[in-house]
Amino acid sequence: MAEGSGDLEKRILTTPLGVMVAGARGIYALLKLLPVQRKVVLITREPKQITVDFTLLKQAIRRSYPEHEIVVIKHKKLSATYIPRAFREMYHLATCAGCLVDGYIIPVSILNHRKNLKIGQIWHALGAIKKFGHLASGTREGPNPRVAATMRMHQNYSFVCASGEVPASIYTAAFGIPAEKIQPLGMPRIDYLLDEQTMAERREQIMDHYPRLRRAAEQGGHSVLYIPTFRRGKHIPYTQVAAAFQDHAEAANTLVLLPHPMDKSPVPESGSTIIGTDFGVLDWLAVADAVITDYSAVTYEAALRDIPLVFWPYDLADYTEARGLAVDYHAEVPGPIVTTATEAVKAALSIGTPDYRKFRAKHLSYVTEQDGSLPRQPPACADRIVDALDLGS
């Protein structure tokens, strides 16, 4: 006979990790006796700086609820040093009027919250090409199913923000939640990407920081971004792309490498190659003439900016086995698929203006026109998300 979910949870709670979870729930039950404050808690997995999404959400909260305090918490992974931080997170969750998160946050999922506490998951990408969450559970790069069950991975969300029909269906499975909890609210970064004044300002900032980019643009050169997906324990071939760029690019063209913060791969830097970590990926989309990627969700963001995309999935078979893909790759990616670094560079430097309407009509349908055209009016996603918290009730 199959083991019921109640029996499984009881058995899990007898493990050391389970005992810790049970203890945290006991402490949290006491903290919930404290009075609720006019306070919104934003919890992020971003280790270095507050994200564009949270910056815009803070602005939206101040516009609609200026009397509310905003607490931003940078969540750390489970470890001995995390324990003191956990108490701070638990206190703020117990006493806040609403909460927004951009990833899997341990106390949000494992604790038993007040029934009227709204917790929104904005995630940290507009969509998904690779599997994550419960979709990747049990794969080589995904979470351990037993640990995921113990830690109630991605539970307790009141709503999850989605930008289109395809991401919404993926989120339902990846978060393991009912479809009705997925709401067509988009993400704050959409407001950012579609704000032409903001994008123009970011372009100027980057050009000022890298004068050679401005000189190259004045000479008719192109800026090509290489934004690969992070591979756990494996090097990414930045050197191959840089070498191909040197061989096949004109002097005025520039390659910008944007490695993941956790990536330890060798990264070359020469006259025509820039390591662009001084600015965020969204800012670089104000400069990019083309993007080379593989399974990265930057695909969605570039599609909103009408930036040509080239896909170089150099380890497609291995990556599919290690983690898996959430979409039919060859059918869904909105750009040419190449097999070598040389082909990727050639395509990026010669590709024409893309028409992303078909892709956006499926993947970004909640924030674009019905035919996939860019929205005639700003979608104001940050304000919509804050409204969904229902802080005035």
Side-chain angles (χ1 to χ4, degrees), residues 220-261:
H222 291 76
S223 297
V224 177
L225 310 186
Y226 179 43
I227 312 175
T229 297
F230 174 65
R231 274 83 161 167
R232 187 174 292 122
K234 293 194 174 184
H235 281 172
I236 292 171
Y238 297 105
T239 53
Q240 288 187 40
V241 179
F245 201 84
Q246 289 294 108
D247 291 341
H248 298 279
E250 297 296 330
N253 295 322
T254 306
L255 174 67
V256 180
L257 305 178
L258 293 173
H260 189 278

Side-chain angles (χ1 to χ4, degrees), residues 355-386:
D355 183 352
Y356 288 133
R357 285 176 297 177
K358 182 178 178 181
F359 176 81
R360 291 192 296 242
K362 292 176 62 178
H363 293 261
L364 294 166
S365 52
Y366 299 157
V367 295
T368 59
E369 302 299 328
Q370 188 172 2
D371 67 348
S373 299
L374 293 176
R376 289 185 286 270
Q377 297 295 328
C381 297
D383 291 300
R384 290 158 61 177
I385 293 167
V386 171

Side-chain angles (χ1 to χ4, degrees), residues 128-133 135-136 139 170 174 319-320 323-327:
I129 292 178
K130 56 182 179 286
K131 289 183 177 180
F132 69 94
L135 278 175
T139 64
I170 294 170
Y319 195 85
T320 302
R323 174 176 285 269
L325 300 179
V327 298

Side-chain angles (χ1 to χ4, degrees), residues 282-293:
L282 299 185
D283 295 329
W284 276 109
L285 294 180
V287 174
D289 295 300
V291 172
I292 301 171
T293 187

Side-chain angles (χ1 to χ4, degrees), residues 160-184:
V160 173
C161 304
S163 301
E165 292 180 11
V166 172
S169 64
I170 294 170
Y171 290 174
T172 299
F175 293 125
I177 60 175
E180 56 266 25
K181 286 196 173 184
I182 308 293
Q183 295 191 14

Side-chain angles (χ1 to χ4, degrees), residues 174-207:
F175 293 125
I177 60 175
E180 56 266 25
K181 286 196 173 184
I182 308 293
Q183 295 191 14
L185 302 172
M187 283 182 65
R189 65 181 57 195
I190 292 171
D191 304 336
Y192 188 83
L193 290 167
L194 295 179
D195 186 334
E196 292 303 329
Q197 180 178 343
T198 296
M199 287 287 99
E201 291 171 356
R202 295 297 176 269
R203 179 181 175 85
E204 287 303 304
Q205 288 175 2
I206 293 175
M207 293 288 189

Side-chain angles (χ1 to χ4, degrees), residues 67-260:
E67 74 283 1
H68 279 61
E69 178 189 4
I70 302 171
V71 177
V72 179
I73 298 174
K74 295 182 179 180
H75 179 74
K76 301 295 183 181
K77 290 184 177 181
L78 186 62
S79 66
T81 59
Y82 168 67
I83 304 302
R85 297 173 180 269
F87 286 104
R88 177 173 181 255
E89 293 177 354
M90 291 164 62
Y91 165 75
H92 284 300
L93 281 168
T95 57
C96 72
C99 175
L100 293 169
V101 301
D102 65 358
Y104 169 58
I105 307 298
I106 293 171
V108 165
S109 289
I110 68 170
L111 300 175
N112 300 315
H113 303 288
R114 303 189 318 270
K115 289 184 178 180
N116 62 344
L117 176 62
K118 291 284 186 71
I119 299 175
Q121 169 64 264
I122 67 168
W123 203 228
H124 49 264
L126 291 181
I129 292 178
K130 56 182 179 286
K131 289 183 177 180
F132 69 94
H134 291 284
L135 278 175
S137 183
T139 64
R140 195 165 75 222
E141 288 199 357
N144 180 288
R146 187 174 181 82
V147 173
T150 304
M151 304 304 288
R152 286 184 175 180
M153 188 172 70
H154 292 308
Q155 291 193 32
N156 290 333
Y157 302 141
S158 306
F159 61 90
V160 173
C161 304
S163 301
E165 292 180 11
V166 172
S169 64
I170 294 170
Y171 290 174
T172 299
F175 293 125
I177 60 175
E180 56 266 25
K181 286 196 173 184
I182 308 293
Q183 295 191 14
L185 302 172
M187 283 182 65
R189 65 181 57 195
I190 292 171
D191 304 336
Y192 188 83
L193 290 167
L194 295 179
D195 186 334
E196 292 303 329
Q197 180 178 343
T198 296
M199 287 287 99
E201 291 171 356
R202 295 297 176 269
R203 179 181 175 85
E204 287 303 304
Q205 288 175 2
I206 293 175
M207 293 288 189
D208 288 343
H209 190 74
Y210 299 102
R212 60 179 166 177
L213 277 179
R214 189 183 301 279
R215 291 194 300 270
E218 291 170 351
Q219 296 171 24
H222 291 76
S223 297
V224 177
L225 310 186
Y226 179 43
I227 312 175
T229 297
F230 174 65
R231 274 83 161 167
R232 187 174 292 122
K234 293 194 174 184
H235 281 172
I236 292 171
Y238 297 105
T239 53
Q240 288 187 40
V241 179
F245 201 84
Q246 289 294 108
D247 291 341
H248 298 279
E250 297 296 330
N253 295 322
T254 306
L255 174 67
V256 180
L257 305 178
L258 293 173
H260 189 278

